[in-house]
Amino acid sequence: MSAYVDSRVAEILEQFGEPSADVAWLLCDRHPATAKALTVIDEQSAVSEYTYGDLAEASRRAAAVLAGAGVRRGDRVATVMGKSVDLVAVVLGVWRVGAVYVPLFTAFAEDAIGSRLADAGAVLVVADAEQRAKVPEGDWTIIVADAGASDGLSARLAAADPAEVASVAVGGDGALVHMFTSGTTGKPKGVVHPVRYAAGWQGYLEFGLGAGSDSVFWCGADPGWAYGLYTAIVAPLAAGVPTILLRGGFSALTTWKVLEDLAVTDFAAAPTVYRGLRASDAPIPEGLVVRRLSSAGEPLTPEVNEWARTALGLEVHDHYGQTELGMPIGFPHHPQLERPVLAGAMGVALPGWRITVLHESDDVPAAPGQPGRLAAVVADSPFMTFHGYVGGVGSDRFRAEGAYFLTGDIASIDTDAIVRFSARDDDVIIMAGYRIGPFDIESTLLQHSSVKECAVVAGPDDVRGEVVEAFVVLAPGTPESGELIGELQKWVKDNYAAHAYPRRIHFVETLPKTPSGKIQRAQLRRRRRESADLSAGNR
């Protein structure tokens, strides 16, 4: 690694780690007020541009609104909002008052939202008007982001005094975000990231994505999740790289149009977006100026780059990360670090990280090429800030007296330091870049009167990579039917999350279990891979 890269890592860490670190200054106020910061494209393709001065004004008003509602330093403030300038203003406003941001995905249903608000100890939540019905009453104030409401967010922002609240510097060790893991073998775990955590994401933007001051950058991920929050909002604002937010769901035609009309040079999205573009009949515009393509959220399958090389003359660089760590592995775009993209490989350790593979049964490094437990080397990873989950759960992820942190994946590292993914050692489902744990889905299904037992696993899918599949043991006397499949799918959509419903449901007599009664999801996954003739409809 070059001396420049090492010094740049140290410089970023120093900015975010010093005791006087002020998030609003780092992400907004230090940049020229006239410099473009954000472009928002709405569902009708209308384009709105905002400068850092615009965001400073809007976020100071948001801070005044929050302070007026009683929010103080260290308080948890959540949003259930789509991509918009109001979302960015509120998030920056949360940090201006020294509070801690709790991102919530708009596809979550009421129970998922309520449990996370309660577990985080949220004091206030801002919700879009169409999301308000899913936010339960509780020990928190609710503000509706509705332009027509007299007490809604727009009216409050208009009446607020932007000079009323001074920015609070919480320092590099101050809490920045309180978010939750996907929930694999149990209830989603709370993760509190300090301000220093954002340094790793700016490093990822520069080294992994290769974006710089001359970039037109677009990350298509949703800010309700870690990758979208940090890659689409935090990192580009910190680096002074204009960022783009597109409202609405995925459309190949819209994606091509935005890439062309906004002259995007750097694009990052989940592999499912690239597979969707590949499968679409929408024509590829001739005027594209894209220079760098990146993906994250799930393993990049080879057919994506087979298509990209021919259709776009580019290769998609795969990147790997998780909520706890950030983005430690990938094929970097930075010219001093770039390496040939290899199909089926995850890449190399990115600057600020040291990655190893531990032996499958001993907490010592495995031999080159030998599959084992993928781990971050804590002492040699300056971008790592994670020390444990809220409440102290999950301490077994740290091994050898804290020397290593297990990612939960099985991989190998060859003599050229290339990391190759093998499998996951947990039950997480990665669908279209979203990490989905089976626990909440199973809990929701079990609340339905027709379900006696169930298990949720990842099933293969050509476009999404993986989808949620459920194996259901019906209650005595309940007949199997296509109508019941649809009813159970809708039940999960309505009571947990719209994106996490089982795309396929299999009715079974029994579920495989250990002698102690634990469901063997790994056996179900293995059966699913080996049996192509299982019922696969239900879409």
Side-chain angles (χ1 to χ4, degrees):
M1 196 174 297
S2 72
Y4 164 75
V5 172
D6 288 339
S7 64
R8 183 61 183 142
V9 168
E11 181 182 3
I12 299 171
L13 280 167
E14 182 179 5
Q15 290 177 342
F16 283 89
E18 58 187 16
S20 61
D22 179 336
V23 180
W25 184 83
L26 288 165
L27 271 58
C28 185
D29 299 349
R30 63 170 165 166
H31 300 298
T34 57
K36 184 166 72 173
L38 173 68
T39 299
V40 178
I41 308 161
D42 69 15
E43 293 86 347
Q44 289 73 45
S45 297
V47 176
S48 301
E49 294 185 345
Y50 303 91
T51 65
Y52 279 99
D54 295 330
L55 295 186
E57 167 83 9
S59 62
R60 288 186 179 113
R61 290 183 180 275
V65 169
L66 296 173
V71 175
R72 298 293 182 265
R73 177 173 177 165
D75 285 344
R76 271 52 174 170
V77 177
T79 67
V80 191
M81 302 174 70
K83 303 171 189 176
S84 66
V85 67
D86 280 350
L87 169 65
V88 177
V90 169
V91 174
L92 289 174
V94 170
W95 292 327
R96 279 194 186 279
V97 297
V100 183
Y101 178 51
V102 182
L104 295 174
F105 188 36
T106 53
F108 281 145
E110 181 176 348
D111 286 350
I113 291 172
S115 66
R116 286 162 174 78
L117 290 174
D119 289 348
V123 301
L124 185 145
V125 55
V126 182
D128 286 338
E130 59 269 27
Q131 302 292 332
R132 171 62 184 90
K134 298 191 301 184
V135 180
E137 299 296 332
D139 296 328
W140 45 79
T141 300
I142 302 172
I143 297 177
V144 179
D146 181 359
S150 60
D151 61 346
L153 180 64
S154 295
R156 294 183 187 221
L157 290 174
D161 181 355
E164 190 173 293
V165 178
S167 185
V168 176
V170 300
D173 292 324
L176 178 74
V177 169
H178 188 146
M179 62 196 321
F180 294 87
T181 63
S182 305
T184 56
T185 57
K187 192 174 183 179
K189 297 183 283 291
V191 177
V192 177
H193 290 306
V195 172
R196 289 184 295 109
Y197 178 74
W201 287 93
Q202 183 171 344
Y204 168 64
L205 183 82
E206 295 185 18
F207 301 121
L209 298 173
S213 58
D214 63 339
S215 296
V216 179
F217 174 71
W218 179 25
C219 171
D222 193 288
W225 298 92
Y227 190 77
L229 171 64
Y230 292 108
T231 307
I233 295 178
V234 172
L237 289 182
V241 175
T243 188
I244 296 168
L245 296 180
L246 172 66
R247 294 180 64 85
F250 169 76
S251 157
L253 189 63
T254 300
T255 300
W256 289 127
K257 179 175 173 56
V258 172
L259 289 170
E260 180 182 32
D261 291 353
L262 272 63
V264 173
T265 61
D266 297 72
F267 182 53
T272 187
V273 170
Y274 295 105
R275 288 193 289 265
L277 293 174
R278 173 178 175 267
S280 171
D281 294 330
I284 301 175
E286 295 182 0
L288 295 180
V289 295
V290 177
R291 300 194 298 260
R292 289 173 284 265
L293 298 172
S294 303
S295 75
E298 59 185 287
L300 184 70
T301 43
E303 79 278 2
V304 170
N305 268 329
E306 292 172 4
W307 163 79
R309 291 187 196 101
T310 302
L312 302 172
L314 297 169
E315 289 186 310
V316 182
H317 288 216
D318 195 13
H319 299 143
Y320 164 89
Q322 56 181 206
T323 301
E324 294 89 336
L325 299 181
M327 302 298 293
I329 302 172
F331 285 102
H333 279 288
H334 193 282
Q336 294 189 29
L337 301 169
E338 196 166 4
R339 304 179 64 153
V341 173
L342 302 177
M346 300 167 69
V348 297
L350 294 174
W353 294 97
R354 184 182 165 206
I355 298 298
T356 191
V357 167
L358 299 182
H359 190 274
E360 62 180 10
S361 57
D362 296 319
D363 293 333
V364 296
Q370 179 182 345
R373 297 166 295 160
L374 187 65
V377 183
V378 175
D380 295 336
S381 298
F383 277 150
M384 181 169 182
T385 61
F386 180 72
H387 300 296
Y389 301 101
V390 174
V393 296
S395 59
D396 59 336
R397 299 283 292 276
F398 288 91
R399 309 308 293 263
E401 298 183 345
Y404 305 107
F405 175 77
L406 299 179
T407 67
D409 294 295
I410 304 300
S412 63
I413 300 179
D414 65 20
T415 54
D416 292 324
I418 296 291
V419 183
R420 297 179 184 276
F421 177 80
S422 176
R424 290 186 306 278
D425 67 358
D426 59 21
D427 296 309
V428 73
I429 303 160
I430 305 178
M431 184 189 74
Y434 300 126
R435 297 178 69 85
I436 301 169
F439 177 78
D440 284 325
I441 304 173
E442 291 170 352
S443 297
T444 302
L445 284 169
L446 288 168
Q447 294 173 24
H448 193 283
S449 60
S450 297
V451 178
K452 178 183 178 182
E453 287 187 301
C454 67
V456 168
V457 300
D461 185 85
D462 290 340
V463 174
R464 300 179 183 91
E466 294 179 341
V467 293
V468 177
E469 292 200 20
F471 291 79
V472 173
V473 178
L474 293 175
T478 303
E480 300 179 7
S481 70
E483 289 77 12
L484 180 57
I485 287 173
E487 182 179 332
L488 293 176
Q489 290 172 327
K490 186 175 185 301
W491 178 263
V492 174
K493 288 181 183 179
D494 292 344
N495 293 283
Y496 175 53
H499 72 293
Y501 74 94
R503 259 63 176 190
R504 306 180 189 119
I505 294 178
H506 312 289
F507 296 126
V508 295
E509 294 293 327
T510 60
L511 296 173
K513 297 178 181 177
T514 65
S516 64
K518 182 179 179 180
I519 294 173
Q520 296 177 305
R521 296 192 188 91
Q523 189 175 134
L524 289 173
R525 290 196 300 269
R526 185 168 56 252
R527 287 184 191 175
R528 184 65 186 90
R529 288 193 300 268
E530 295 172 352
S531 179
D533 59 351
L534 280 173
S535 174
N538 316 325
R539 288 176 184 262

